[in-house]
């Protein structure tokens, strides 16, 4: 956060305060209480999500790809935030080739993990995390198909109170500032989308960790509003 902030026109002091604000943000500081459920590898991805975005915006492409690789290796579900960052680069930056490559890499990584690697080692020879989506899908291809064939159910799930509450909570604690740099904030949408489709709405809460990879993106969008990216 400190490394990114000066390029938005902040002074060193303002950059320091931005970094402190990141640590004090309720959305971030609340995560330590999630450890009562055990350590989650998504936590490992958070600093590298921030580093990937900052490196992209500062044209440090070697650092960007290293960070993207570390994000993906932390857990297969991080493919959604990497996909979102890739879409941002593809649609809103001059690095369109980088964005397209990131989108393809994230999707390919997700497919390989969920269709080959994880089922190979799982007792049931399948990607069991898909059960969190209930009767919406029995596999990742089923889930992708459901986006078209069961659009009514999808809209209902996306509009649940838990989904709206978590979104408003994460945005309000940073004063809705990500809206001022909405292009970057949109990188969080793929992660929100698949989180909001979970059958059990109790998981869609700041009490848990499923949303943590969007926090660096939203915060960097909040402190980047002084400059159009």
């Amino acid at each position: 956060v400190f490394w990114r902030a000066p390029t938005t026109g902040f002074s060193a002091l303002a950059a320091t305060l931005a970094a402190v604000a990141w640590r004090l943000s309720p959305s971030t500081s609340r995560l330590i209480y999630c450890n009562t459920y055990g350590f989650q590898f998504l936590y490992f991805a958070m600093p590298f999500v921030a580093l990937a975005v900052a490196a992209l915006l500062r044209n440090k492409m070697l650092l960007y790809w290293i960070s993207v690789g570390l994000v993906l290796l932390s857990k297969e579900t991080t493919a959604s935030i990497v996909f979102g960052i890739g879409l941002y680069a593809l649609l809103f930056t001059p690095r369109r080739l980088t964005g397209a490559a990131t989108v393809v890499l994230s999707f390919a990584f997700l497919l390989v993990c969920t269709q080959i690697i994880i089922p190979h080692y799982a007792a049931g020879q399948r990607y069991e995390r898909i059960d969190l989506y209930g009767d919406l899908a029995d596999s990742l291809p089923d889930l992708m198909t459901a986006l078209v064939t069961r659009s009514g159910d999808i809209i209902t799930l996306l509009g649940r109170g838990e989904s709206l509450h978590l979104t408003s909570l994460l945005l309000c604690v940073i004063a809705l500032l990500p809206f001022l740099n909405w292009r970057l904030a949109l990188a969080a949408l793929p992660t929100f989308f698949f989180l909001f489709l979970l059958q059990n709405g109790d998981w869609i809460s700041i009490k848990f960790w499923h949303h943590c990879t969007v926090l660096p993106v939203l915060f960097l969008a909040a402190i980047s509003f002084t400059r159009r990216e």
Side-chain angles (χ1 to χ4, degrees), residues 175-199:
L176 304 179
L177 290 176
F179 282 118
L180 297 178
N181 191 359
W182 59 268
R183 295 173 179 83
L184 179 54
L186 285 179
L189 281 186
T191 301
F192 275 132
F193 183 82
F194 287 102
L195 172 60
F196 294 162
L197 295 183
L198 295 178
Q199 183 181 49

Side-chain angles (χ1 to χ4, degrees), residues 6-21:
T7 66
T8 66
F10 285 12
S11 64
L13 176 60
T16 302
L17 293 176
V20 171

Side-chain angles (χ1 to χ4, degrees), residues 74-185:
S74 63
K75 194 171 180 64
E76 80 283 355
T77 55
T78 58
S80 61
I81 194 66
V82 173
F83 185 87
I85 294 171
L87 281 181
Y88 166 74
L90 176 64
L91 298 176
F92 302 119
T93 77
R95 295 276 184 179
R96 292 182 175 85
L97 183 59
T98 297
T102 303
V103 166
V104 172
L105 173 64
S106 63
F107 192 70
F109 180 82
L110 181 63
L111 285 177
V112 170
C113 285
T114 60
Q115 304 303 301
I116 301 175
I117 298 177
I118 295 177
H120 178 75
Y121 293 100
Q125 298 293 295
R126 59 187 294 270
Y127 181 55
E128 296 179 356
R129 183 181 171 83
I130 201 70
D131 293 339
L132 293 176
Y133 294 97
D135 63 357
L136 192 63
D138 189 51
S139 65
L140 183 62
D142 284 348
L143 182 59
M144 297 302 170
T145 302
L147 300 182
V148 177
T149 61
R150 302 184 61 178
S151 56
D153 294 333
I154 298 293
I155 293 173
T156 300
L157 290 170
L158 293 177
R160 282 183 296 182
E162 295 91 344
S163 304
L164 299 175
H165 179 263
L166 179 62
T167 304
S168 60
L169 183 63
L170 296 181
L171 292 174
C172 285
V173 296
I174 45 180
L176 304 179
L177 290 176
F179 282 118
L180 297 178
N181 191 359
W182 59 268
R183 295 173 179 83
L184 179 54

